[in-house]
Amino acid sequence: MAYRSPGHGYADVAAYFREKVENGELAPGDSLPAVEEIRAQFSVSAKTVSRALKVLKDEGLVSHRGALGTVVMERPRVAPATGADRVARTRNGGPNYSPGETSTGHTAALLSCADPGICRELGIEPHEEVVVRKRVFRVNDKPVVIGVEIIHPRALAVVSDLLKQGPRGSVHWFSEYEENTGKKINGSPEMRAARFASRDEMKDLEVPLPASDVAVPILVTRTTWHDEDGPIEVMEDVFAPGIWHAARK
């Protein structure tokens, strides 16, 4: 595997390998190249490499394992990616799933939208119909994130299988839409907020449901996607209780 980067400082080296871990190119248990190999690849000193590896160790991304060298660590309480990360990764030819990640509970439906915030984001009137696609991402078979896509109905005229039940494939529907229309879809900055989980979300995330209502805090991220005609999708990720979202640096 070739490792190339225009940077020459320890932060550049650390950022390069951090990205490889976050996008799944370096999976848990994989070894980073030897210090001498990193030195040669980046044209830096051994001290610079050591500082870069220390940064990655302090972040909990890697650890030193004797003869194995520096190894990527398991991070079971950190979600592998958000929907926006997946779109970026697959657009660059990368995998849809991170190592050890799967998804279940794929559903698609045409529903009336009563959420005023979603209506505002999509530029639609309350109770207009939208396409809602949902799946649960799992790591080592444990649910970590509910991925929800609320799609403007105009997309159905271009991508007819948005209501297909089950997985659509390894490429996000944006690619088919852009190819058929020539219109690029771009995302807003990712927004984050905490709120309480609904009982349906607790069920999807396999959180035991108490007999009475209990407030269970969760993290939600949201990205709104637009083409030249306006907003076309609101993408949300609902994180299981105790699961962290590692923001990109």
Side-chain angles (χ1 to χ4, degrees):
M1 181 185 296
Y3 293 92
R4 298 185 177 88
S5 170
H8 298 287
Y10 79 92
D12 301 297
V13 177
Y16 182 82
F17 287 106
R18 183 186 301 113
E19 181 178 359
K20 295 296 182 185
V21 172
E22 289 177 347
N23 67 20
E25 291 185 49
L26 285 171
D30 286 350
S31 295
L32 269 62
V35 171
E36 288 302 316
E37 185 179 345
I38 298 175
R39 281 189 62 193
Q41 193 68 47
F42 289 87
S43 300
V44 295
S45 67
K47 181 178 179 181
T48 296
V49 175
S50 295
R51 290 185 69 187
L53 294 179
K54 183 178 185 303
V55 168
L56 297 175
K57 291 174 186 175
D58 290 345
E59 292 176 355
L61 297 177
V62 302
S63 66
H64 187 70
R65 297 287 177 84
L68 294 177
T70 302
V71 177
V72 178
M73 294 181 64
E74 288 274 5
R75 294 196 299 162
R77 305 307 295 172
V78 178
T82 63
D85 294 330
R86 296 176 199 282
V87 171
R89 189 166 63 201
T90 56
R91 277 177 166 173
N92 291 327
N96 192 19
Y97 294 95
S98 299
E101 186 183 34
T102 59
S103 63
T104 57
H106 293 249
T107 62
L110 195 62
L111 301 174
S112 171
C113 184
D115 185 316
I118 297 295
C119 291
R120 184 169 57 252
E121 292 282 345
L122 286 178
I124 62 175
E125 295 297 321
H127 304 292
E128 279 194 49
E129 290 186 324
V130 293
V131 177
V132 179
R133 295 189 60 86
K134 185 181 75 171
R135 55 181 165 171
V136 179
F137 292 97
R138 311 176 77 91
V139 175
N140 299 326
D141 203 35
K142 295 182 179 180
V144 292
V145 175
I146 305 170
V148 183
E149 297 179 83
I150 304 101
I151 305 166
H152 197 289
R154 65 186 173 89
L156 280 170
V158 180
V159 185
S160 59
D161 68 345
L162 285 175
L163 290 172
K164 173 187 175 183
Q165 300 298 317
R168 288 192 66 259
S170 60
V171 179
H172 195 269
W173 72 266
F174 288 175
S175 297
E176 182 178 345
Y177 182 93
E178 291 172 338
E179 182 178 351
N180 290 341
T181 65
K183 299 173 182 178
K184 179 72 172 177
I185 295 177
N186 297 294
S188 65
E190 187 177 81
M191 307 298 288
R192 306 176 189 93
R195 62 168 171 79
F196 296 130
S198 69
R199 293 184 71 85
D200 285 343
E201 288 167 339
M202 292 172 66
K203 183 177 179 180
D204 286 339
L205 294 169
E206 298 177 8
V207 176
L209 293 172
S212 58
D213 288 336
V214 174
V216 177
I218 54 172
L219 173 69
V220 180
T221 64
R222 175 184 290 185
T223 302
T224 302
W225 299 84
H226 304 74
D227 69 356
E228 62 188 57
D229 295 328
I232 197 163
E233 175 176 311
V234 174
M235 182 181 288
E236 288 193 344
D237 291 283
V238 180
F239 291 72
I243 295 294
W244 289 85
H245 165 46
R248 290 194 174 275
K249 300 191 177 185

